Amino acid sequence: MAQDNKERLKEIKKFNIKMYRKFKRDNKKKVPEAEYTTVMKNSANIIEFDNLQTYFYTDAGTVKAVDGVSFDIPMGKTIGVVGESGCGKSVTSLSLMRLLQGPQGQIAGGQLRYNQISKKRAVDITKLPITEMQKIRGNEIAMIFQEPMTTLNPVFTIGNQLDECIMLHNPKMSKKEVKERSIEMLKLVGIARAEGIYDSYPHELSGGMRQRVVIAMALSCNPGLIIADEPTTALDVTIQAQILDLLRDLKDKINASIMLITHDLGVVAEMADYVVVMYAGRIVEQGTADEIFNKPLHPYTVGLMKSKPVLNEEVDRLYSIPGNVPNPINLPPHCYFKNRCEKCMEQCEGVYPELISVTPTHKVSCYLHAGSRITEDKKIGGKK
């Protein structure tokens, strides 16, 4: 037994070294523009995730953190990505920003098509050279990270950190113009006494103010897409409401799209136009906010809805989905939710169910609804 385990670990190490070398080779080679330019399936989308696969090559084996994720982010819309901790929400956003910790974390397959309006072209972010990605990251696609205290550098002033972001993407601006832009952004996110806060350090601000500063930093270059990763975590309810109102107003002002990552269903219900439900690195259901909240189909989505507290309803104990998320290493070939599902049937022992359309906007990955699939004719408004 011990010998078998030793051999297995040896094979894993050998495979990991091979993948690390490939990663370094890919990063060194010069990529011609023709290789990373592509065509959007729908020009009304700003981002199209197409079968995205993001893996982590660890000593214990390959962790398939994101495995075959496909969804679109339309221009000017808010997409909510929900699911419990460890389902791959944040890794999906980090893949889009190309901020994975390599060579352990790598995009192993799929496409990330970005509609780069500034250059009137579409690019595949998975193949984009780092120099090109640096021009997009923070400028055209910005991210609001989970914890503002760890996002902000404690040894630099707020103004110093805001200025750096603006100067990097606007080298022709003078120092005076950069400072004016930074103060303008602080005022835009509702910070009173912006000139004073500009010279303050992060530890001198409250949690809500720090979060506003992080939002100001993300919006300083007028991005077309804002990725908000748990933007209201660790904030009290009143500050949460203010931050959500702020995001909604700013989205309308600069006509941006938002990818909102959270496990708070209340936030999603208030903010999102479309919802993507993830479980163990895959999408189990997606649709409009109305479809997901009023007509959930996948047993996991139904479980999530049942587990949220309801006002004016007395219960002894809130519902919780039984069991645990499967180990992301060596995932089973069948549905990952099978062992936790209350509606499990014989078919669930088979291959992983594909994502099928039950309405033109509503998709679900479950054998319970295999008979509800709509035809291509019906999708485009024709007769069955």
Side-chain angles (χ1 to χ4, degrees), residues 180-221:
E180 285 171 358
R181 174 67 178 162
S182 295
I183 291 170
E184 181 193 332
M185 289 310 300
L186 290 173
K187 288 176 180 175
L188 186 69
V189 295
I191 289 179
R193 204 175 59 84
E195 289 82 359
I197 297 300
Y198 178 89
D199 294 317
S200 301
Y201 286 88
H203 71 270
E204 297 178 285
L205 310 183
S206 66
M209 287 180 80
R210 283 197 294 264
Q211 189 64 286
R212 286 170 187 264
V213 168
V214 172
I215 292 170
M217 199 179 289
L219 301 179
S220 59
C221 295

Side-chain angles (χ1 to χ4, degrees), residues 248-264:
R248 198 185 292 107
D249 292 345
L250 293 173
K251 177 181 86 88
D252 295 336
K253 277 181 186 175
I254 62 176
N255 193 30
S257 303
I258 296 178
M259 179 179 172
L260 179 67
I261 298 164
T262 183
H263 54 250
D264 189 331

Side-chain angles (χ1 to χ4, degrees), residues 23 70 119 132 288 338 346 381:
F23 177 83
S70 299
K119 293 191 176 180
E132 286 292 319
T288 63
K338 182 182 79 75
E346 196 176 328

